[in-house]
């Protein structure tokens, strides 16, 4: 596809369960970012990947959150032992090359996570 | 960290009217993006504009980096322009990334 895709589009889970969210970036984009959007906090950065490495994990809110990227492409964000405050829309973005004039970020449609 | 402030927070326009949205930021930035978040939540890229002026149809944007602000102009507004407009600034994090810091957005409602 031409754009960033994410799955699932919606996820409802029970408190304490683990969830995995998937992002497929635009083909050829080396930089990948995860953000989340919640009513109280707005849009906030979570983690950045350059290739398969994550040099910046400073936005992850707790050690229950982790992410990986494989083959310089697909990324998975995992939340363990979900809490109600994890409810938000999780957005993935990709760009051609970070740190250059080619860092325009393009966003996927998001995954809406609801923790009951 | 850097602060990004958008104004006004809410705006109601009659169809056909013009408007200006403002974004102020507290420190120097590498780049700046404007997005439109449609009613389905999708962030749509409008402009990638570190400085100067760009135009795309009825929309244009101006960034004055030395004075730390950017403006988004919407002319002859249409109901399909409704949604939330976000300004986001790009800075080197010091930890290897150039993530975006977003403002809280301007919610635009265009009424027929």
């Amino acid at each position: 596809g031409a754009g960033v895709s994410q799955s699932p589009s919606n996820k409802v889970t029970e408190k304490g369960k683990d969830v995995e969210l998937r992002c497929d970036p635009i083909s050829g984009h080396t930089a990948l970012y995860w953000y989340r959007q919640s009513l109280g906090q707005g849009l906030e950065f979570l983690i950045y990947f350059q290739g398969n490495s994550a040099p910046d994990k400073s936005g992850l809110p707790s050690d229950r959150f982790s992410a990986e990227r494989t083959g310089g492409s697909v990324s998975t964000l995992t939340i363990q032992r979900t809490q109600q405050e994890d409810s938000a829309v999780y957005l993935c973005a990709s760009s051609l090359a970070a740190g250059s004039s080619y860092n325009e970020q393009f966003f996927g449609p998001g995954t809406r996570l609801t923790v009951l | 960290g850097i602060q990004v402030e958008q104004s006004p927070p809410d705006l109601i326009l009659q169809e056909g009217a013009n408007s200006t949205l403002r974004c102020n930021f507290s420190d120097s930035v590498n780049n700046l993006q404007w997005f439109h978040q449609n009613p389905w939540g999708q962030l749509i890229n409008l402009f990638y504009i570190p400085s100067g002026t760009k135009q795309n149809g009825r929309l244009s944007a101006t960034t004055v980096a030395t004075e730390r602000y950017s403006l988004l102009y919407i002319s002859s507004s249409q109901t399909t322009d409704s949604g939330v407009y976000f300004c986001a600034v790009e800075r080197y994090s010091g930890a290897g990334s150039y993530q975006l810091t977003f403002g809280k957005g301007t919610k635009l409602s265009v009424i027929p």
Side-chain angles (χ1 to χ4, degrees):
Chain A
V4 179
S5 60
Q6 293 186 244
S7 60
S9 54
N10 282 284
K11 177 73 177 177
V12 180
T13 191
E14 294 179 346
K15 178 181 172 181
K17 301 283 190 182
D18 297 352
V19 296
E20 284 190 353
L21 313 179
R22 177 187 168 105
C23 171
D24 275 282
I26 294 172
S27 178
H29 280 196
T30 63
L32 186 148
Y33 303 80
W34 284 96
Y35 296 84
R36 74 175 176 182
Q37 185 173 25
S38 58
L39 280 175
Q41 302 300 320
L43 272 148
E44 51 183 357
F45 165 77
L46 296 178
I47 186 170
Y48 157 69
F49 285 92
Q50 178 58 44
N52 293 335
S53 313
D56 190 350
K57 307 178 183 180
S58 62
L60 294 178
S62 78
D63 59 9
R64 295 186 295 104
F65 288 70
S66 62
E68 64 175 12
R69 189 179 184 194
T70 55
S73 181
V74 172
S75 177
T76 303
L77 177 69
T78 301
I79 310 174
Q80 295 179 310
R81 304 181 303 281
T82 51
Q83 303 294 312
Q84 288 181 333
E85 61 262 28
D86 300 334
S87 295
V89 177
Y90 290 81
L91 295 162
C92 176
S94 69
S95 71
L96 194 57
S100 70
S101 58
Y102 302 100
N103 195 38
E104 183 176 6
Q105 295 183 32
F106 296 87
F107 282 77
T111 294
R112 181 176 296 277
L113 175 66
T114 303
V115 182
L116 302 177
Chain B
I2 191 168
Q3 304 299 311
V4 182
E5 295 182 359
Q6 292 187 243
S7 60
D10 295 279
L11 184 59
I12 300 174
L13 293 178
Q14 200 76 38
E15 198 169 24
N18 303 329
S19 64
T20 301
L21 281 56
R22 187 176 180 102
C23 172
N24 292 334
F25 41 97
S26 60
D27 206 340
S28 60
V29 299
N30 295 328
N31 223 312
L32 185 145
Q33 289 189 241
W34 282 98
F35 297 92
H36 175 213
Q37 189 166 43
N38 66 20
W40 296 271
Q42 176 72 53
L43 281 168
I44 298 166
N45 291 43
L46 297 178
F47 294 101
Y48 184 52
I49 181 168
S51 63
T53 296
K54 292 185 177 180
Q55 180 146 13
N56 185 1
R58 296 181 296 102
L59 303 182
S60 65
T62 295
T63 297
V64 184
T66 52
E67 297 187 19
R68 299 180 184 166
Y69 73 89
S70 184
L71 303 173
L72 178 69
Y73 305 94
I74 305 174
S75 65
S76 304
S77 57
Q78 301 176 357
T79 55
T80 52
D81 295 333
S82 297
V84 182
Y85 289 80
F86 287 102
C87 166
V89 299
E90 174 198 317
R91 272 171 62 89
Y92 179 61
S93 72
S97 79
Y98 291 81
Q99 76 264 34
L100 296 174
T101 300
F102 285 80
K104 295 187 183 302
T106 292
K107 184 176 180 182
L108 175 65
S109 300
V110 181
I111 54 177

